[in-house]
């Protein structure tokens, strides 16, 4: 019995000693001195690298500006993060041994157009990378914004680590917008078009109607006798100037007056032709009839319509004597228009000269006081000139700039992370916003109205 127990226990004791001797390895032994099977076991049990916050989920908002002014505006309107050309990906290697990254891959695609980003758009170093043990290390991710059309991109970056069965996956969510230059120009164009529509509604339309009358009158004058054209065309230029200066009522009255003068001149030509026919047939004609007709033309050329009316009626009475019921010239329209536009400039000028002559000379204190008033801007003349040449244009530009920046901030800076991905919708929205941006329309109209 004792011999049987001895043979059973002896192999167990020998096996326990051999197992104890196999794992008895000094703690201070370096990895290169370890036996190969044990080194493989330790390396395969190393934990994977850990991406830090901001690297575990890559989120970017970028701008694709292609040239100088575009990039300068992007620098002015957008934060610096939209112009990144490189992003540092940070990793923590908690292991006692270096972590080897064998290869990397980037797969990113647009969500709106399904456009796949090329390899040059996002790229990690192509060679194998080693992350030191127990350190936080960064890897550069190169960003080529010029290779990224405006879009909303999603995808992943894959990192293959040595002796790890699972790849490290970094989600990517990235938005790219176009540069701000073209949106700014489109928005400004929309605002200008909106102002033009409002101008046409308030001033341009009525001005175009009066200008149409001027063109029609000019066509009638050019069809008249050369002598009559020579009289009326300079007067038509004055009517055109009134239209340019938005003095539409005065221009309309002037057109009516010129139409009446043209009618009178045509009747003078008719009367003159009838007198010539009478002379050819041997009928008697008053000797001074032709002279009075020419005198009437001279009075009309000088704008003396009342005198011209009187002389013309005299000629008609003389030439139609003995013909009961003869036609007379209706000059009522010309007389009414004349009363509307005639101003006694001579009397006004005499009054001004008289007032200036009565003004007493200023004493030295009064001159100093007037100079100080002028210098401080309280003078009516200085204030009026400054308002016309400086204040009014300045306020107009400030309001126009404010509208433009408001629209750019609303549709491009704040909510336009992917502006340009759908060019038709994006730029049309800017244009329509500019057309409907009538926030300062009343102020702009009142400012422009001060000039008239």
């Amino acid at each position: 019995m004792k011999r049987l127990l001895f043979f059973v226990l002896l192999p167990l004791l020998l096996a326990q000693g051999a197992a104890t001797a196999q794992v008895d390895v000094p703690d201070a032994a370096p990895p290169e001195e370890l036996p190969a099977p044990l080194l493989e076991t330790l390396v395969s049990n190393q934990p994977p690298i850990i991406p830090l916050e901001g690297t575990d989920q890559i989120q970017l908002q970028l701008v694709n500006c292609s040239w100088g002014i575009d990039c300068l505006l992007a620098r002015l309107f957008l934060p610096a993060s939209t112009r990144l050309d490189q992003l540092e990906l940070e990793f923590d290697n908690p292991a006692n041994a270096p972590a080897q990254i064998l290869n990397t891959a980037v797969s990113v695609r647009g969500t709106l157009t399904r456009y796949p980003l090329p390899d040059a758009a996002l790229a990690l170093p192509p060679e194998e990378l080693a992350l030191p043990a127990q350190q936080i290390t960064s890897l550069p991710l190169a960003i080529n914004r010029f290779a990224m059309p405006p879009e909303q991109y999603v995808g992943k970056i894959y990192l293959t680590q040595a002796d790890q069965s699972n790849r490290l996956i970094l989600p990517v969510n990235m938005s790219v917008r176009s540069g701000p230059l073209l949106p700014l120009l489109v928005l400004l164009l929309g605002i200008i078009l909106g102002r033009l529509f409002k101008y046409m509604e308030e001033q341009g339309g009525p001005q175009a109607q009066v200008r149409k009358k001027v063109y029609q009158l000019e066509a009638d004058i050019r069809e008249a006798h050369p002598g009559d054209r020579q009289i009326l065309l300079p007067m038509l230029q004055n009517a055109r100037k009134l239209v340019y200066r938005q003095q539409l009522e005065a221009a309309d009255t002037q057109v009516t007056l010129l139409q009446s003068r043209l009618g009178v001149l045509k009747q003078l030509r008719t009367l003159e032709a009838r007198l010539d026919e009478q002379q050819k047939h041997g009928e008697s004609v008053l000797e001074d009839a032709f002279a009075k007709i020419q005198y009437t033309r001279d009075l009309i050329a000088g704008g003396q319509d009342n005198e011209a009316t009187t002389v013309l009626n005299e000629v008609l009475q003389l030439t139609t004597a003995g013909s009961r019921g003869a036609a007379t010239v209706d000059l009522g329209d010309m007389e009414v228009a004349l009363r509307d536009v005639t101003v006694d400039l001579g009397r006004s000028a005499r009054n001004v000269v008289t007032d200036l002559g009565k003004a007493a000379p200023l004493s030295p204190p009064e001159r100093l006081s007037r100079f100080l008033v002028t210098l401080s801007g309280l003078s009516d003349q200085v204030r009026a000139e400054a308002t016309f040449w400086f204040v009014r244009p300045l306020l107009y530009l400030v309001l126009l700039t404010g509208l433009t920046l408001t629209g750019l901030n609303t549709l491009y800076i704040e909510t336009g992370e992917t502006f340009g991905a759908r060019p038709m919708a994006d730029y049309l929205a800017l244009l329509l916003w500019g057309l409907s941006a009538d926030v300062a329309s009343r102020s702009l109209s009142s400012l422009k109205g001060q000039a008239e």
Side-chain angles (χ1 to χ4, degrees):
M1 186 65 180
K2 292 182 179 180
R3 289 180 179 180
L4 181 60
L5 292 174
F6 176 76
F7 286 113
V8 172
L9 296 175
L10 182 59
L12 295 176
L13 293 174
L14 292 176
Q16 182 179 3
T20 304
Q22 184 177 357
V23 298
D24 188 11
V25 179
D27 294 339
E32 58 272 10
E33 297 180 4
L34 295 178
L38 181 59
L39 180 59
E40 293 176 0
T41 303
L42 291 176
V43 172
S44 62
N45 291 330
Q46 295 298 322
I49 58 176
I50 302 172
L52 300 185
E53 184 177 0
T55 302
D56 54 348
Q57 290 186 353
I58 301 174
Q59 296 184 354
L60 295 173
Q61 293 183 359
L62 303 175
V63 58
N64 183 355
C65 59
S66 55
W67 55 299
I69 299 179
D70 204 14
C71 293
L72 181 62
L73 292 175
R75 185 181 299 273
L76 179 63
F77 293 130
L78 300 175
S81 59
T82 60
R83 304 186 303 276
L84 289 177
D85 295 324
Q86 180 174 299
L87 180 65
E88 297 294 333
L89 304 181
E90 297 179 329
F91 300 93
D92 182 15
N93 180 15
N96 295 326
Q100 297 291 329
I101 297 179
L102 301 180
N103 59 68
T104 62
V106 179
S107 177
V108 179
R109 186 179 297 270
T111 60
L112 301 177
T113 62
R114 308 305 299 169
Y115 176 80
L117 278 184
D119 296 336
L122 289 175
L124 285 166
E127 66 273 5
E128 292 187 7
L129 304 174
L131 304 184
Q134 296 184 347
Q135 290 187 21
I136 295 177
T137 310
S138 62
L139 298 180
L141 175 65
I143 302 174
N144 185 2
R145 294 180 286 112
F146 310 113
M148 300 179 182
E151 238 302 11
Q152 180 71 38
Y153 296 99
V154 295
K156 296 179 177 63
I157 296 178
Y158 299 92
L159 303 178
T160 302
Q161 185 178 345
D163 300 307
Q164 294 291 330
S165 59
N166 297 325
R167 293 184 179 86
L168 180 62
I169 299 176
L170 305 177
V172 177
N173 188 353
M174 182 172 55
S175 61
V176 182
R177 75 181 83 193
S178 62
L181 177 60
L182 187 56
L184 182 63
L185 294 178
V186 172
L187 181 61
L188 189 60
L189 175 63
I191 294 176
I192 293 175
L193 288 177
R195 297 305 310 154
L196 287 178
F197 287 153
K198 192 170 186 62
Y199 169 77
M200 288 300 298
E201 180 182 357
E202 295 179 353
Q203 299 181 5
Q207 185 184 45
Q209 293 178 358
V210 179
R211 188 169 178 80
K212 180 181 178 181
K213 294 182 180 180
V214 172
Y215 282 131
Q216 291 174 345
L217 177 60
E218 183 177 7
D220 294 338
I221 292 175
R222 293 192 180 279
E223 293 176 357
H225 190 275
D228 298 341
R229 285 203 304 267
Q230 188 177 2
I231 294 174
L232 295 179
L233 284 179
M235 300 179 181
L236 188 65
Q237 289 298 115
N238 295 330
R240 186 177 283 111
K241 289 181 181 179
L242 294 175
V243 176
Y244 295 157
R245 296 174 181 176
Q246 287 289 339
Q247 299 177 6
L248 302 182
E249 293 183 1
D252 193 31
T253 303
Q254 187 72 15
V255 168
T256 303
L257 180 60
L258 290 177
Q259 289 173 343
S260 300
R261 288 174 178 173
L262 178 60
V264 171
L265 290 174
K266 287 182 177 180
Q267 293 190 20
L268 287 175
R269 294 293 172 185
T270 303
L271 179 59
E272 196 172 33
R274 190 176 67 184
L275 294 177
D276 287 337
E277 289 293 330
Q278 290 179 359
Q279 280 186 341
K280 290 179 181 179
H281 290 83
E283 298 179 8
S284 61
V285 177
L286 295 177
E287 296 180 357
D288 60 344
F290 290 101
K292 286 183 176 294
I293 290 175
Q294 184 58 42
Y295 181 56
T296 305
R297 290 196 186 97
D298 296 338
L299 291 175
I300 293 176
Q304 302 178 16
D305 299 286
N306 286 334
E307 292 81 354
T309 303
T310 303
V311 175
L312 181 58
N313 286 328
E314 292 177 358
V315 174
L316 290 175
Q317 290 176 1
L318 292 175
T319 56
T320 58
S323 300
R324 187 177 301 273
T328 58
V329 179
D330 185 9
L331 302 177
D333 293 338
M334 185 170 67
E335 294 176 354
V336 172
L338 183 65
R339 287 197 299 269
D340 291 337
V341 299
T342 301
V343 178
D344 191 356
L345 297 178
R347 185 175 57 186
S348 300
R350 287 194 299 272
N351 293 338
V352 172
V353 173
T354 303
D355 294 338
L356 291 176
K358 295 180 180 179
L362 297 177
S363 61
E366 290 175 342
R367 292 179 181 176
L368 178 61
S369 175
R370 176 166 295 186
F371 173 75
L372 293 177
V373 168
T374 304
L375 187 63
S376 63
L378 297 179
S379 170
D380 293 338
Q381 180 181 359
V382 173
R383 184 167 58 251
E385 295 295 333
T387 300
F388 183 82
W389 293 107
F390 180 73
V391 177
R392 189 174 60 91
L394 179 62
L395 290 180
Y396 188 87
L397 290 177
V398 168
L399 290 172
L400 183 62
T401 304
L403 279 177
T404 305
L405 294 180
T406 301
L408 192 68
N409 181 71
T410 302
L411 300 178
Y412 178 80
I413 298 175
E414 296 294 336
T415 60
E417 292 86 359
T418 61
F419 189 93
R422 295 171 293 187
M424 186 67 179
D426 293 337
Y427 288 105
L428 184 60
L430 277 179
L431 189 64
L432 292 178
W433 193 96
L435 288 173
S436 60
D438 242 354
V439 178
S441 60
R442 294 184 181 179
S443 298
L444 292 173
S445 298
S446 62
L447 285 175
K448 291 177 71 64
Q450 298 297 327
E452 284 84 26

